[in-house]
Amino acid sequence: MRYHQAVHDVPLLFESCEKPTAGESFDPTLGGLLPGEVVRSRLDIPDLPERDVVKHFINLSQMNFGVDNGMYPLGSCTMKYNPKICDDVVSWPTVADIHPLQDPSTIQGALRLMHELEGMLCEIGGVDAVTLQPAAGAAGEFTGVHIVRAFHEANGETRKEIILPDTAHGTNPASAAMVGYDVLDLPSKDGCVDVEALKSSVSKDTAAFMLTNPNTLGLFEKNVKEIAGILHDAGALLYYDGANLNAIMGKTSPGKMDFDIVHFNLHKTFATPHGGGGPGAGPVGVKRRLDEFLPIPRIVEKGGVYSLDSNRSKSIGKVRAFFGNYAILVRAYAYIRMMGGKGLVSASENAVLNSNYLKERLKRDFELPYADLRKHEFVLSGAPLKKKGLRTLDFAKRLLDYGFHAPTIYFPLIVDEAIMIEPTESESKETLDRFVDACESILKEDPRLLHDAPVNTARRRLDEAKAAREMIFSWRAYKKKTDSASRPS
Amino acid sequence: MPLSECSLEMLQQMRVRSVDELFQDIPKEVRIDGLRLADGLSEIDLRRELESMMSVNRAASSMPSFLGAGIYNHFIPAAVRTIVSRSEFITSYTPYQPEISQGMLQSLFEYQSFMAELTAMDVVNSSMYDGSTALGEAVLMSHRISGGNRFLMSRAISPEKKVVARTYAKGADISLDEVAYDPLSGLVDLEDLRSRMNDSVTGFYFETPNFFGPIETRWDEIRRIVGQKTLVIGVNPLSLALLKPAGEMGADIVVGDAQVFGTPMNLGGPTIGLFGCKQEHVRKMPGRIIGMTSDLEGRTSYCMTLQTREQHIRRSKATSNICTNEALLAVAAAAHLAIIGRSGLIDIARRNVENMSSLSGRIASIKGFKAPHFKATHFNEFVVTSNRDPDRIHRELLKRGVHGGMRLGEAFPELKDSTLYCTTEMHSKHDHDQLVSALEAIT
């Protein structure tokens, strides 16, 4: 084990506000330009030399782990390598320094790029039209479910319910609820949709069924056509959560599987960086009959000239201001152009190969619920750890000490002590083998080492209950708390 | 594509003959045969092609532009890019493993601290998608706080925000009602607000400075009229370098867009939704919140907290569906504010006010133009009214290499002769000269 994360003692920037020179009085009226009644009386933010600020953040960055540091097998998150050219492109002034309300004649390049990206996503998703507006996967779901609602309302129907498999991502039920739907959980059978149970759950009240395929266990839902038939016969729609699209590019498509609505996670499948939580982008694609409900504006091309069309009476409106996360769209466009059609297919092939290889090597050491092939990810059960008084959490924390990011744990909920591993196509066989070695070595270790893990990271285990109890969310709150504690009662 | 030697070795070890075998679980009836997309480009060809495609865009540096309306062109110190270009930040995921993610977590805590100080709110979350979705979420949160099914919004807000807020409100069956603005000052029409308040009202949203630029002065009275209902205030966080913060105006929730701190215009996205609230409402808040705590060895540490509000735990009962947010831009905002510091921030805000005042005065002195249209104090945006057709002005300015402001007629028919102009510290005197002489040339 050779990994050790940097450990720096980095005080908060605001701690420098404690210096006597800080918080000097200033004239916020700017000598009368602003009336005294609208200005603030104090502003306590730090004033530091640039040199110190850069040092502060560079040292902080060293206490953070990204894909560029090492393998990040976080299931369902597709932490693939992010090509650097894609980040470079978005720093160009012709890309970054343009305003969304500029006359379309002055942003033709940007409009063309977005229009072409829509077309490429149509091909990959097997759909007829795409909106790029949603800012994230969950925002894509929110958009898609609004389209579901608009579709039924246009048919004069108010259907109340959205059905979800019990393996669904948490965002699915949350998005459905935000659009006003009741959520019905469908228990899985052998890790997949229970078709008979689905048949008996579908009713006149069913607005849609949301599904990802392959599902969160990494299993391909073979009955997807039959599932689609059940929904469509009942007048309901089938929604595709694109979180797992990285498994199937060029092999099948949501459209081919008869899904009506699809969201894409550009920050997963199309290699845009996750940025420590965002920004991402969650474009939504639909079949022809739902085209009219897409958000406005639509980008329209005529004779090589691009314009905007907001005159669409059935549109759900907007889900975000302007065009969406354009700088992310540019990165995804660059990625797709660089990969090409064959490159994307090969990405899916290698993602699936890596995942099955790891699964085969690790299933002896853990439990592997459900037989069969996996696609881009697989879920192990850490239940055997319990015999040693350990839990999946302990194993995950110990992996950090070996320089691997932990897998997703305790999800999906139907697997006891779940360990969800998605290696992506980016990792070499050598890295995968090292990962297996690390897992096997951890299982042989003294359980106390796992209890104490991690020890090679910038911090050891945190008191998360204390964070929730003390509720210190800012320097301001911290000051309030420490000031009131030091004040004599 | 041919398989690499390593791939073949892996297949062998798995006793699988080919990669195709790994896809045999996909039924034939749903199979497709590859993708009809062009072949991949090398990096050099990609760069060449994108340079050519993007060269037809007119960037702010090649054409003085006076657009604002929610997206602003501000100075970004080079060091901000140095910081947010760190791979460790860019290529990390949401910090679910805090021990190995302290860099991101502390940076987000620093962002929350800057925003809490600027807005004088108790809690600011670690970001929403943008200013418009922050407002949408605020409407839903108001409903959780105060009940009711009607949310009041000032008419003087961005048309983009109105449409987005409507989408959010629809799911919760909340209707949105507009409160008029005073035609002289552009500020909230207090009589109209008073007449619309009743038991079914959830809350009220106004902005300061508002969409037309005027800065609100009567927040005490607004707070009194809104009473026990939820008061949501929209801010331009840069203006808070000088202006009274929403927290001191009695806001329950404050929203805005922190794009002004360290994020380029990016054709409007990504930007970063600012969302803050009073401590008493925190459990009803959407989004990720970073809290301070300590580790096993007692060292100050940071982690995501109050996660029981969130979708991955609470599912359909979550306060929001948000998962991916705009974390990296929050780091940019924190880095930006730290680099310019208190004195730099005040200086930039001052330049905005001075530029606005100077440009507005110069436009007012052109025959046939009135600026600012509203009698109020402004920050960096103002409405210009003219007896010349705004579309014609727009075209004439473009011909002269200047991009005018946003024409208001479409969203606000009562302002069909008006255009919203914005000027920031990025405009030189020469840029103003160019606009003024171009306007003067239009007869």
Side-chain angles (χ1 to χ4, degrees), chain A residues 24 68 252 318 322 337 463, chain B residues 30 49 87 167 293 342:
Chain A
E24 272 172 21
D68 287 0
T252 178
K318 296 191 71 115
F322 307 114
R337 289 300 308 275
D463 187 346
Chain B
V30 298
E49 191 162 316
S87 268
T167 312
T293 183
R342 181 176 182 269

Side-chain angles (χ1 to χ4, degrees), chain B residues 37-259:
Chain B
L37 294 175
D39 286 344
L41 297 175
S42 65
E43 184 166 331
I44 187 165
D45 288 337
L46 174 73
R47 178 180 289 273
R48 204 173 283 141
E49 191 162 316
L50 277 172
E51 270 168 2
S52 144
M53 188 191 280
M54 289 305 176
S55 67
V56 300
N57 294 335
R58 294 293 300 272
S61 52
S62 74
M63 170 185 63
S65 164
F66 295 87
L67 287 166
I71 299 293
Y72 302 97
N73 189 23
H74 286 296
F75 169 69
I76 303 175
V80 172
R81 179 134 183 259
T82 303
I83 290 166
V84 296
S85 296
R86 289 294 290 195
S87 268
E88 298 92 330
F89 287 141
I90 292 192
T91 68
S92 63
Y93 194 72
T94 302
Y96 282 120
Q97 299 291 341
E99 300 88 348
I100 206 165
S101 314
Q102 282 300 299
M104 178 53 70
L105 285 160
Q106 183 174 333
S107 300
L108 294 175
F109 186 88
E110 309 256 21
Y111 163 80
Q112 292 176 180
S113 296
F114 274 113
M115 294 303 135
E117 180 57 32
L118 279 171
T119 59
M121 297 304 284
D122 300 319
V123 195
V124 174
N125 72 18
S126 71
S127 72
M128 308 305 289
Y129 304 137
D130 74 340
S132 73
T133 63
L135 172 59
E137 293 274 14
V139 173
L140 301 181
M141 182 167 160
S142 300
H143 179 67
R144 292 193 287 274
I145 295 172
S146 306
N149 56 14
R150 269 174 69 233
F151 188 85
L152 306 180
M153 292 202 301
S154 156
R155 179 165 171 75
I157 71 170
S158 131
E160 293 281 324
K161 286 186 190 165
K162 279 181 204 173
V163 189
V164 174
R166 199 178 301 142
T167 312
Y168 275 75
K170 187 177 181 193
D173 283 327
I174 300 167
S175 64
L176 297 180
D177 231 3
E178 246 176 28
V179 174
Y181 59 84
D182 176 75
L184 283 179
S185 68
L187 299 174
V188 176
D189 180 335
L190 297 182
E191 279 318 303
D192 193 47
L193 173 62
R194 206 170 275 128
S195 73
R196 287 171 196 275
M197 287 301 301
N198 63 36
D199 281 350
S200 70
V201 168
T202 294
F204 173 57
Y205 174 70
F206 76 96
E207 292 176 353
T208 179
N210 71 26
F211 187 64
F212 305 131
I215 296 167
E216 189 54 68
T217 54
R218 299 137 324 140
W219 50 83
D220 284 340
E221 216 170 331
I222 292 173
R223 178 73 263 189
R224 257 197 308 277
I225 298 170
V226 172
Q228 295 302 304
K229 307 297 186 179
T230 305
L231 179 61
V232 185
I233 301 183
V235 296
N236 173 347
L238 175 61
S239 73
L240 297 178
L242 304 169
L243 301 182
K244 189 177 277 290
E248 290 176 16
M249 299 179 185
D252 291 292
I253 300 173
V254 58
V255 294
D257 201 311
Q259 177 260 326

